[in-house]
Amino acid sequence: MSKYDAIIIGGGHNGLVCASYLSKKGCKILILEKNENLGGLVNCASSLNGFSSKILDDLKIDLPKLNYNSYVVALHSDQQHTILQENNNKINFIKSNASGENQKKFSSLINKYKIYASTLSNFMYEVPPRLKSGNSKDTWQLINMGWKIRKLGKKNMREFLRVIGLNIADELEDNLSDNNLMGLLAHEAILGSNLGPRSPGSILSLLYRQAIQNGLFASEKYDFHQLIPSLEKICHNQGVEIKNNASVKKIITTNNQASGVILDNEEKIDAGIIISNADPKTTYFDLLGTEPLDTDFIRRAKNIRTKGNIAKLTITLKENPIIQNIDKEKMNAKFIYAPDINYIERAFNASKYNKYNENLCFEFHHCVNVIVANIYYVPHVKNNTHNKERLIQHSINLLKPFISNLEIEKAELLTPNEIEEKYNVTGGHWHHGDFEIDQMLMMRPFYGSAQYTTPIKNLYLCSAGTHPGGGITGINGRNAAKKIMRDKK
Amino acid sequence: MNNKIYDVAIVGGGHNGLTTACYLAKAGLKVIVVERHDYVGGAAVSRELYPGWTYTNCSYVCSLLRPEIFRDLELSKFGLQIIPYEGSATMLDDGRFYAHYNDHDLTYRSIAQFSKRDAEAYDRFGRDVMRQCKIIKPLLKMTPPDPTSFAPKDIMGLFEFAKYFVAKDELGGLGEKEIYDTIRFWTMSVRDYLEEYFESDVIKAHLAGSAIIGTALGPYSPGSAYVLLHHYMGEVDGTIGAWGYSRGGMGSITQAMSKSFQSKGGEVKVGSPVAKILIKNNRSYGLILENGDEIYANKIVSNLDVKRTFLKVVEQNQLPEDFYLAVKNFKIRGSSGKLNIALDDLPTWKSIPVGDPAGTGDLHITQSIEEMEGAYDDWKDGNWSSYPYVDMCVPSINDPTIAPQGKHYMSVFIQYVPYNLADGGWTEEKRKKFGNHVMNRIGNYSNNFNDIIKHAEIRTPKELEAEVGLTEGNIFQGELTMDQLMFNRPIPGYAQYKTPIKNLYMCGSSTHPGGGVMGAPGANAAREILRDMNKQIESHYI
Amino acid sequence: MSQTNISYKQPLLETPFHEKTREKCYAHDWYRWAGYKAVNQYTSTELEYTSMRNTAGVVDISPMHKYSVKGKDAKKFINKLITRDITNIQPHQVVYALWCNEDGFVVDDGTIFCFDENNFRICSGERNLNWFEDTAIGFDVTIEDISHSIAALAFQGPLSCKILHMLNANNIENLKPFCFDQFTINNQEITISRTGFSGDLGYELWCEPLQAHDVWDALFSFNKNYKILAAGLDALEMVRVEAGFIVVNADLMAAEHALRPNRMRTPYELGLAWMVNLDKEFFTGKEALIKQKNKGVEKKLIGLDVQGDKPALGSVLYNESKNEAIGIVTAAMWSPSLKSNIAMGYVDKQFMKLGSKVLAEIYHLEELEYRKIWAQCKVVKKQFITLERRNAVPALI
């Protein structure tokens, strides 16, 4: 008899959440984390504001509240930066060169999307229903989903159905005329995706961000640095065993049923349920191997789009950074450089060909003298042929115009290839797979693997590659746990 | 002006307007078609723009014209004949060419030269696309249901939509897997879709061409695979995806339609640009022409695109504010250019032997999807593409009526060409420069092209707009993206051929199912009008 | 540089035997098979068919698709591919196999030749390169399409062994069914397998294209006494129906080809349950087939003994009261050997049992007019003809 009821491969946030829910119901869980530290891509994240407050409640996680007002600064090359503050879902323009009309339209657009986003958020906590499964439960769930959309009212439903396939650039150009505000909203829409502002589906991406976050600009309300330690503590209290530096080599199956894992050091551990917090491609092609998978299933797994395009830059300065026209109080803002739609689109253009040009977009936070920035679009390239030195230099050059005292002590950059290597995430993709209409809901990651299950009995998925998607919500882990409990009955 | 009151007046004599006109005349109604130019046809027109040569000066190939409409309107009786393609080819820079033929085995071997894997995958790809064509076929005919409405008509429409979606009749029903495939096909980019089958660059480039014709999307853009479907879903004699030439140029289609219309008592008034649609108490009752004459009719149908209709010939104060705004925001960006060239001889190509059927169909010179996407990038910046995608053909090889003996006419369709050219916009000089840019590029692949050009007519989106009335030169009367298709086309809530104005209808490609020389929007609109008038007719389509 | 290997004037390939087959094809009756020119009928299908049951017939089967499967995981790969278990296969053995997709629907059928643990050859009717390559992902195996580099003949009939024996194929009479070996004929070393599509004593000869003419000529060496005929595909079709063998894309739609999902079939629906080994660790489609085995099939491919002598080609099958269509015929013929009217087709599950009675609605064209005939049919085993000489070892010489 195995010591454990379930093994979770990967100690990222979804794995920890899944373990927390399962162990609450009395399951004996073992988490195996390849790296020294838990958290996975949380260690790369720019913001954890997407983490589900419902889950914080369920698990009784009490994160300390942060006391400062959170600002957002859209950097302009003429140093006349736009400063916003988001409070209780209202946008206040602290400083902006945009006309009153533009500011009004900006806010009203965001509010319009918020309504649609909250409809979408209804679907996030459920295992996605299958289309035409013959199962009445699925049919009812679909009817329910349709009904929720219908409840938006005629006007909103029409608009929702119109914008869901639309690109953010067109919508912005129809409504606004201020380049910088347009760039700012476009930035929020496409960060983390493989889309440009003119790509159809970019509004959907924005809706998703709004659905999971409290407020559009991801201004932190809680001290999320405590998130992983808090989850770890809960797991510990509920009897979950966590092993770091334990890399899983293979998932063992017997008679099409998951029965255990083998570690890199050849140690074999049995369990009746295996849950993979690795992304779907890694799970199927590395951990499980293709031997127990049908050929057409393998084709679909191969076709998931998982190209990452964000590089993480960490620079340590000799002293705290100074930005012209930003006073000290506002320095704890999120800084964004996405000056206008065409600029972003041009940066995006190069990434389509697995190249990048010098004119990239970025956002950063700073803490004391350390700046942590997400630079995009830096594509994942085969064989990792990035010229890192050049990329670091380009990235620093991007920051130069804004930070007047940019004297660098240390600069580190993780390309998408390196993120892939370090965190074992295919493509270094933030969300384990693009979030687009054909890779969402009951098609995420793809047919046959979209309800946290796999063709192998008792092998489950709980990573961001599943419904509802990425964004460090923890919902994937929770939903997977619910599915597992449901299946057990 | 005379006091005659027509049953229906149709603004614009494009192929959709003529289709609507024919069906209504068939029902015994008194119909008049009012056309700005001295000739009807809109974008399906053949004109002798150079002595001795007939240019099919906008649209150039026929496939999407619904066979049931062809049959209902008796178009062959009025002179229309479609000649199928024999093949298509992409000419490569290394001196080879990649070709598709009518002969399936030959096509297999042609593809296998580049990749055996792809040659085999092509069958699977063809099967999957064919399946999608069969699924979408009945959807073209439908009036889109309004998903926000609880009216019985719309609820029934939604059920019908769902029924067609699972193709119970056409394919015996689809399973869950095939339904996901359909959703994916309708929302993915053509590049991602092709990558799932093929490995070879040139094959992907050859197949992706249909996905970018007329669009403001690149092959990497989500939604471009749908455009591929839109172009594949035509048929020439039951072979789905086949294209053909209209004998005598595309104008033969509209001439035949016009003759068919007049044979049923219809009236065509050319040379009569419409200034405004007359509206009183929110009801349209007639037209006023630019010369001041008035024409009265109980129903007005506009064949103009939705922007031209509601921003030009209807007063703003007649329209609800949000409708007006939505029309202003309707996406109709032009991205295509056209060259019509009179040639003194048969153009011969460096790579394709004379007589090879691959040279008689559509010809391309793009080597990879990256190149096509790069062409799109240029357009986004407001420039014509440095490496444009060209879709060329020499219809006179198989059509004996359009060029003098021994001489030829070549049609060149180009993506991408912006309507608003950066750096000050289009001038006569820039237009010529653009034309030369394209012709030089083509000349690189030919033995004699540059030497045999007698005349070249160069059209940018500006000329397309000026002649045909297509706003911004968009050939579809509106982009084919999800936000403007089906129940969103042209405006959500107004996708059933009706407008906020009573008795004013729309029948152009701005309506469902969209552009291409299909006739479906026109026929669907006719069906709605006849239904509103409680009239029946015998028809294969309606 | 211009294209040299394909020309629009020559859309079809010619097999290595083409010069020889063209010589004998007096009736000039050809068709396309896998992109090759193939003979339907050389002189008379009736005579060619008879030769396959009386003396021997030679069929050019070179257009068949052949794939080499080599590597450390070759056997593992094949075991994942097919529904049967070949764990214990030995070199020189041949296995008839089916492979299915994830829903249990047949992708194709074919024969698997074992050269050794790491070296196999798969012979199939349809193209399978993509399917094999995708199945091979994650395995240490190389798949190569060698279709054009192997010439093949089917040599079927009661005299086949005798002729080969007279050609000094060493110990050919003791070659067991579904085995193969190297033999020398007319100074050419070739592979001969005791396999075939006729349900009779017969062999398939595999050689290199340059050897083709010599091998062909050899088989006709003794025609003065033993009249061997070149047989076309129409004759082959006749013998295979008698033998009860299925043809993919004729009796069922291959999963990778079917436009309409409900035209695909599982091995159970084809009556080939014996080829599905559910005890095997894994193969593509296993889970789906387990489900179907437990649920049972809705329809099944069976044989029909049809009343009268008008072949039931393309007929719809009805229940006795003629008010419900319960099946369709996929292959039918008058069998000269059995003097019976036979057919293969699908019937709904209520009529699956042997001995069940159904009606075939046959439209017989009689000098420009169709006569509708309701023919009584009895459900019988697909294998209409059983010949002891087929499996006899030593074979008849």
Side-chain angles (χ1 to χ4, degrees), chain B residues 169-233:
Chain B
D169 295 330
E170 284 279 350
L171 296 176
L174 296 178
E176 193 181 349
K177 197 157 58 161
E178 290 84 31
I179 292 179
Y180 294 134
D181 283 343
T182 302
I183 297 176
R184 297 182 81 232
F185 196 28
W186 288 10
T187 56
M188 279 174 83
S189 75
V190 74
R191 173 196 178 258
D192 288 335
Y193 192 74
L194 291 172
E195 289 261 309
E196 294 188 359
Y197 295 90
F198 305 107
E199 57 187 8
S200 162
D201 276 341
V202 74
I203 293 165
K204 287 185 272 186
H206 187 89
L207 293 172
S210 304
I212 63 168
I213 300 277
T215 64
L217 297 173
Y220 285 53
S221 307
S224 48
Y226 173 75
V227 183
L228 182 87
L229 175 62
H230 193 92
H231 283 111
Y232 269 39
M233 62 192 181

Side-chain angles (χ1 to χ4, degrees), chain A residues 6-23 29-33 38-40 42 51 59 228 231-232 235 240-242 275-278 432 461-464 473-478 480-481 484:
Chain A
I7 294 174
I8 299 183
I9 305 176
H13 66 286
N14 278 314
L16 293 169
V17 167
C18 190
S20 303
Y21 276 91
L22 287 175
S23 54
I29 311 283
L30 167 66
I31 298 179
L32 296 169
E33 164 56 45
L38 297 174
V42 167
F51 199 83
L59 298 177
I228 300 294
L231 285 170
E232 197 181 345
C235 285
V240 174
E241 208 180 305
I242 300 178
I275 305 163
S276 173
N277 192 22
H432 290 199
L461 301 176
C462 72
S463 85
T473 61
I475 302 177
N476 315 71
R478 171 201 175 272
I484 294 167

Side-chain angles (χ1 to χ4, degrees), chain A residues 256-412:
Chain A
N256 203 42
Q257 201 151 319
S259 56
V261 299
I262 299 184
L263 303 183
D264 275 356
N265 63 9
E266 303 301 330
E267 185 189 340
K268 184 163 171 284
I269 312 177
D270 292 327
I273 295 176
I274 311 290
I275 305 163
S276 173
N277 192 22
D279 68 280
K281 265 186 175 162
T282 302
T283 306
Y284 288 121
F285 291 103
D286 285 341
L287 299 176
L288 184 62
T290 53
E291 271 179 58
L293 296 172
D294 295 319
T295 301
D296 358 27
F297 185 90
I298 293 171
R299 276 183 177 159
R300 290 196 295 277
K302 209 162 65 111
N303 288 333
I304 324 171
R305 301 189 294 282
T306 54
K307 212 174 71 152
N309 61 18
I310 304 180
K312 181 166 171 219
L313 175 72
T314 311
I315 45 182
T316 310
L317 304 173
K318 291 222 163 85
E319 45 184 43
N320 292 11
I322 297 175
I323 299 183
Q324 200 180 64
N325 292 330
I326 304 289
D327 58 53
K328 229 169 144 220
E329 191 211 342
K330 301 193 176 57
M331 277 303 291
N332 57 30
K334 178 165 86 160
F335 293 89
I336 296 170
Y337 185 63
D340 63 71
I341 289 178
N342 289 331
Y343 180 93
I344 305 174
E345 187 75 16
R346 276 191 212 108
F348 168 65
N349 283 349
S351 74
K352 290 183 294 192
Y353 314 114
N354 282 338
K355 296 195 175 69
Y356 67 89
N357 63 35
E358 286 174 38
N359 299 319
L360 300 166
C361 307
F362 62 85
E363 60 166 31
F364 70 82
H365 282 100
H366 94 94
C367 185
V368 196
N369 64 336
V370 177
I371 291 183
V372 178
N374 290 314
I375 318 269
Y376 66 98
Y377 300 83
V378 177
H380 176 274
V381 295
K382 267 201 192 105
N383 305 322
N384 194 12
T385 50
H386 281 295
N387 182 339
K388 264 196 85 173
E389 281 312 310
R390 211 167 61 148
L391 183 53
I392 294 180
Q393 200 48 53
H394 283 158
S395 309
I396 293 173
N397 288 344
L398 291 168
L399 296 169
K400 249 207 191 94
F402 306 105
I403 301 177
S404 36
N405 57 342
L406 192 73
E407 275 179 58
I408 304 193
E409 240 175 49
K410 197 166 74 161
E412 286 173 327

Side-chain angles (χ1 to χ4, degrees), chain B residues 79-187:
Chain B
L80 181 59
Q81 185 183 352
I82 311 292
I83 307 164
Y85 268 7
E86 293 175 46
S88 65
T90 293
M91 295 185 273
L92 302 183
D93 290 339
D94 64 9
R96 295 184 300 164
F97 67 98
Y98 167 75
H100 283 197
Y101 296 93
N102 272 359
D103 187 308
H104 178 259
D105 288 313
L106 189 58
T107 302
Y108 173 84
R109 286 172 55 211
S110 170
I111 306 175
Q113 283 179 99
F114 296 86
S115 160
K116 235 183 185 152
R117 202 186 147 81
D118 286 358
E120 202 177 294
Y122 183 70
D123 280 343
R124 197 158 47 98
F125 172 78
R127 185 270 307 258
D128 289 342
V129 173
M130 167 80 86
R131 198 182 267 167
Q132 293 301 320
C133 291
K134 288 200 179 282
I135 293 171
I136 207 171
K137 201 163 132 180
L139 295 176
L140 304 176
K141 250 197 208 172
M142 280 181 80
T143 295
D146 181 354
T148 69
S149 149
F150 285 129
K153 177 174 80 142
D154 294 308
I155 303 272
M156 286 318 300
L158 284 172
F159 275 116
E160 225 183 297
F161 178 87
K163 189 178 76 153
Y164 292 138
F165 201 66
V166 299
K168 193 81 217 298
D169 295 330
E170 284 279 350
L171 296 176
L174 296 178
E176 193 181 349
K177 197 157 58 161
E178 290 84 31
I179 292 179
Y180 294 134
D181 283 343
T182 302
I183 297 176
R184 297 182 81 232
F185 196 28
W186 288 10
T187 56

Side-chain angles (χ1 to χ4, degrees), chain A residues 130 132 150 170 345 352, chain B residues 174 176 373 377 380:
Chain A
R130 286 168 55 182
K132 207 178 187 246
R150 184 66 189 83
D170 279 346
E345 187 75 16
K352 290 183 294 192
Chain B
L174 296 178
E176 193 181 349
E373 184 70 15
D377 288 343
K380 281 190 285 187

Side-chain angles (χ1 to χ4, degrees), chain A residues 106-273:
Chain A
F106 184 81
S107 298
S108 71
L109 255 189
I110 292 179
N111 287 335
K112 176 173 88 167
Y113 293 149
K114 205 182 290 298
I115 299 174
Y116 308 150
S118 67
T119 305
L120 278 185
S121 65
N122 276 323
F123 310 146
M124 283 169 32
Y125 288 92
E126 304 170 350
V127 177
R130 286 168 55 182
L131 293 176
K132 207 178 187 246
S133 65
N135 192 330
S136 63
K137 191 166 183 293
D138 285 333
T139 314
W140 275 118
Q141 216 181 331
L142 287 166
I143 293 179
N144 200 10
M145 281 169 72
W147 180 242
K148 291 225 167 68
I149 297 179
R150 184 66 189 83
K151 269 177 47 178
L152 284 170
K154 210 177 197 125
K155 186 155 170 268
N156 273 327
M157 182 179 173
R158 279 207 179 125
E159 183 64 3
F160 174 70
L161 290 175
R162 186 186 76 94
V163 302
I164 206 158
L166 185 59
N167 65 84
I168 189 83
D170 279 346
E171 181 80 324
L172 290 170
E173 284 170 348
D174 285 345
N175 287 291
L176 302 173
S177 57
D178 184 271
N179 278 336
N180 300 117
L181 288 185
M182 291 200 275
L184 180 58
L185 200 50
H187 162 87
E188 291 299 331
I190 48 157
L191 184 67
S193 72
N194 259 317
L195 303 170
R198 300 203 183 276
S199 306
S202 38
I203 295 186
L204 181 66
S205 187
L206 181 65
L207 295 180
Y208 182 73
R209 287 282 294 264
Q210 283 183 287
I212 62 175
Q213 282 168 182
N214 199 5
L216 176 61
F217 292 100
S219 333
E220 308 280 59
K221 297 267 182 299
Y222 300 103
D223 183 2
F224 276 106
H225 284 106
Q226 296 301 314
L227 177 66
I228 300 294
S230 302
L231 285 170
E232 197 181 345
K233 188 149 157 247
I234 291 174
C235 285
H236 186 75
N237 290 343
Q238 287 173 183
V240 174
E241 208 180 305
I242 300 178
K243 278 202 179 120
N244 295 42
N245 295 312
S247 174
V248 171
K249 187 162 85 166
K250 207 122 179 105
I251 298 172
I252 313 170
T253 60
T254 345
N255 283 333
N256 203 42
Q257 201 151 319
S259 56
V261 299
I262 299 184
L263 303 183
D264 275 356
N265 63 9
E266 303 301 330
E267 185 189 340
K268 184 163 171 284
I269 312 177
D270 292 327
I273 295 176

Side-chain angles (χ1 to χ4, degrees), chain B residues 61-73:
Chain B
V61 277
C62 181
S63 149
L64 301 178
L65 182 63
R66 308 310 308 149
E68 301 93 331
I69 295 177
F70 191 119
R71 203 169 164 188
D72 276 344
L73 273 42

